[in-house]
Amino acid sequence: MAEIKMKQPVEKKVRTVDSKSTGAVRCVVLVPNEPSITTDEPVERGGTGDAASPLMHFTASLATCQTVQIIKVAAAMRFEHGAIDVKASTTTDHVAAVEGEQKVMRLCAAEMVIDIETNEPEKKIERLKLLSEDRCPVGQLFNDAGYPPTFIWNILPL
């Protein structure tokens, strides 16, 4: 199989945001040269429920990062596809805190169900899966933490 030509690797890049809160759990996150992001918590967790929670934003980041990687790898492979739908879920659990008897919330699992429209051969599809899963930095956070994400790929006719 021909080698895939990817862009030159970019140097290390630092991304910085500024989260502003007026004392409540609602935050407006200022992102340089991009629209701001708002996070909040549901009313039962001390928020107003006016925006998605930080953990929902993280789950959205997982889904969208994986989508972007599929599209980029597909372009490099000259892989023809139609619609891509990524449904991501993350799981939290309560584990022992650093001090005391309290428990704290931690992420402990991730799953992505990926529907992609394509008529490409199985061998090419398997290569797309391998490369796009490897290139998603958000998904790799779970690998690095010892919780490899579960992937379910549904190949739909184009």
Side-chain angles (χ1 to χ4, degrees):
M1 179 173 279
E3 198 60 31
I4 297 171
K5 185 173 182 177
M6 301 296 282
K7 292 189 306 186
Q8 285 295 98
V10 259
E11 298 295 319
K12 185 188 296 186
K13 183 174 182 179
V14 176
R15 291 164 181 83
T16 304
V17 300
D18 185 7
S19 177
K20 305 261 187 203
S21 171
T22 58
V25 295
R26 185 175 192 277
C27 299
V28 175
V29 182
L30 306 177
V31 182
N33 304 313
E34 295 184 24
S36 64
I37 302 165
T38 302
T39 67
D40 199 357
E41 290 285 346
V43 173
E44 63 272 12
R45 293 187 50 87
T48 63
D50 289 338
S53 71
L55 287 177
M56 289 306 288
H57 278 275
F58 182 77
T59 305
S61 292
L62 177 63
T64 57
C65 183
Q66 189 63 59
T67 302
V68 167
Q69 296 312 314
I70 293 168
I71 291 167
K72 286 181 175 185
V73 169
M77 290 177 62
R78 294 178 200 86
F79 185 105
E80 187 179 345
H81 65 85
I84 299 169
D85 181 17
V86 178
K87 291 178 181 64
S89 62
T90 56
T91 303
T92 57
D93 197 2
H94 287 81
V95 299
V98 175
E99 292 182 348
E101 300 293 319
Q102 292 183 325
K103 295 211 173 210
V104 293
M105 186 186 306
R106 295 286 190 261
L107 288 158
C108 62
E111 178 180 278
M112 284 178 273
V113 177
I114 302 167
D115 295 343
I116 183 169
E117 296 176 343
T118 188
N119 294 327
E120 294 287 358
E122 184 65 29
K123 190 172 183 180
K124 206 168 179 182
I125 292 169
E126 290 305 313
R127 183 116 170 110
L128 175 75
K129 291 177 184 181
L130 176 74
L131 295 175
S132 64
E133 290 173 15
D134 181 56
R135 283 171 172 71
C136 176
V138 179
Q140 288 304 319
L141 288 171
F142 284 92
N143 274 330
D144 294 345
Y147 301 107
T150 301
F151 291 89
I152 299 168
W153 288 78
N154 297 313
I155 309 305
L156 308 171
L158 182 60

